[in-house]
Amino acid sequence: MAYFLGIDAGGSHCRSRLTDERGTILGTGESGPANTRIGIERLHAVLRDVAGQAISASGLDEAEVATIRAGMGIAGISRPGMREQLAALPFPFAAIEFVTDAAIANLGAHAGVEGATLIIGTGSVAEVRVGTTSFTIGGYGFPISDEGSGAALGLSAMRHALRALDGRSEVTPLSHAVTAGFGHDTARAVAWMDAATPKDYAAFAPLVMDYAENNDAIARSIVEDAAQHIERFIETIFARGAVRCALAGGLAMRIRPWLRARTVARLVDAVSDPLDGALLLAGLPATALPTRKPDAD
């Protein structure tokens, strides 16, 4: 019996899935953020933790664990030197492949065949496979990149809320809700921003979406701007040769109704999720994949 481990390590959380060669799930694991920005040693610890959770649930013994082939999709692994540093650290497996979290999302979305996936979660990035060539569009990191993402929505909401506290713009239900967490105190809000991460900003995204759907003028303008960035992403994906495109990530389904009908008509549903993409990377045959809807990211 062969065993395959898939890990999806992103800016908000890290998950694992362990299967046999038939695709039967033997164990899973879950932890917090696991991109390269947290540091290689900490990242290594999180990866070992989620792998260990899945292995413990599976009941595999030490000899069986040593035969596992692993595929790991890790946010930020393409940064210079990251893959080499991580590969030099100990893992108890027969083989490991490291790619970006966007790459495994794309593998899962199209069951290993060519296509593109636009991931809209804490950040945003497109992974495109045309024939045997793969490349990314965007994904340079917040706040330089990540247009249309949860973090971008949250940052825009904070900017508006602070201007509203100053009296430089209209107070709306959205701005009031955002500043309520800081006691409507500008100094407290700025202090929070000094240490805020993309995940912290992205935590405001559901609030922005809620108020936009309830016709808050500023919330609507923020979401409409995000939708324009996503439209441009999709146009670029097809212009660069993609034969199909799927959306993935925790914000994907909420932003979809804000896209033009002609854009939505060009999209396809994802076949499976990023963890299954990681399992394909590890070597699990595509025929062993059940149909699974993508998880939120």
Side-chain angles (χ1 to χ4, degrees):
M1 182 65 70
Y3 302 102
F4 300 92
L5 175 68
I7 292 181
D8 177 15
S12 298
H13 50 249
C14 183
R15 294 180 298 233
S16 64
R17 181 179 294 155
L18 178 65
T19 75
D20 62 21
E21 61 197 12
R22 296 184 294 266
T24 303
I25 297 175
L26 306 177
T28 62
E30 186 166 359
S31 187
N35 56 19
T36 57
R37 293 183 183 277
I38 68 174
I40 286 295
E41 295 294 338
R42 185 177 167 196
L43 172 59
H44 180 242
V46 174
L47 296 174
R48 291 290 300 261
D49 174 47
V50 295
Q53 291 177 41
I55 291 166
S56 294
S58 73
L60 296 185
D61 61 31
E62 188 174 339
E64 290 169 320
V65 169
T67 69
I68 290 172
R69 301 180 68 84
M72 303 186 185
I74 302 169
I77 195 67
S78 58
R79 294 170 59 201
M82 294 295 103
R83 183 179 279 102
E84 293 77 11
Q85 289 182 53
L86 191 57
L89 296 174
F91 290 94
F93 310 129
I96 308 178
E97 293 287 339
F98 298 108
V99 296
T100 66
D101 55 338
I104 60 167
N106 199 39
L107 281 171
H110 305 292
V113 301
E114 68 175 316
T117 304
L118 175 56
I119 303 166
I120 314 164
T122 300
S124 63
V125 62
E127 179 75 15
V128 186
R129 182 178 176 188
V130 178
T132 58
T133 302
S134 294
F135 56 91
T136 61
I137 301 172
Y140 311 126
F142 180 80
I144 299 300
S145 183
D146 290 343
E147 300 91 345
S149 70
L153 291 182
L155 178 59
S156 292
M158 282 297 299
R159 285 172 171 162
H160 165 66
L162 289 175
R163 288 195 294 265
L165 282 180
D166 284 348
R168 289 184 290 147
S169 70
E170 175 189 2
V171 175
T172 71
L174 172 65
S175 73
H176 189 271
V178 170
T179 59
F182 307 104
H184 306 294
D185 184 326
T186 300
R188 284 178 58 188
V190 171
W192 175 86
M193 293 171 68
D194 285 341
T197 65
K199 182 181 178 182
D200 294 329
Y201 281 107
F204 286 113
L207 191 70
V208 176
M209 296 303 305
D210 289 344
Y211 279 100
E213 290 160 5
N214 282 286
N215 288 316
D216 179 284
I218 297 299
R220 284 187 64 90
S221 71
I222 292 171
V223 175
E224 287 166 356
D225 180 68
Q228 289 181 6
H229 283 293
I230 292 164
E231 295 263 4
R232 183 57 183 152
F233 251 126
I234 294 168
E235 291 168 3
T236 304
I237 285 166
F238 284 108
R240 295 193 61 182
V243 296
R244 62 182 67 84
C245 178
L247 299 184
L251 196 56
M253 289 304 101
R254 293 202 73 176
I255 204 71
R256 190 175 176 128
W258 295 81
L259 304 177
R260 291 175 295 180
R262 69 183 188 187
T263 300
V264 173
R266 303 184 76 182
L267 301 173
V268 300
D269 291 333
V271 173
S272 197
D273 66 11
L275 278 172
D276 279 341
L279 290 167
L280 289 173
L281 177 69
L284 181 71
T287 53
L289 288 182
T291 300
R292 272 190 277 266
K293 288 297 182 183
D295 297 326
D297 186 7

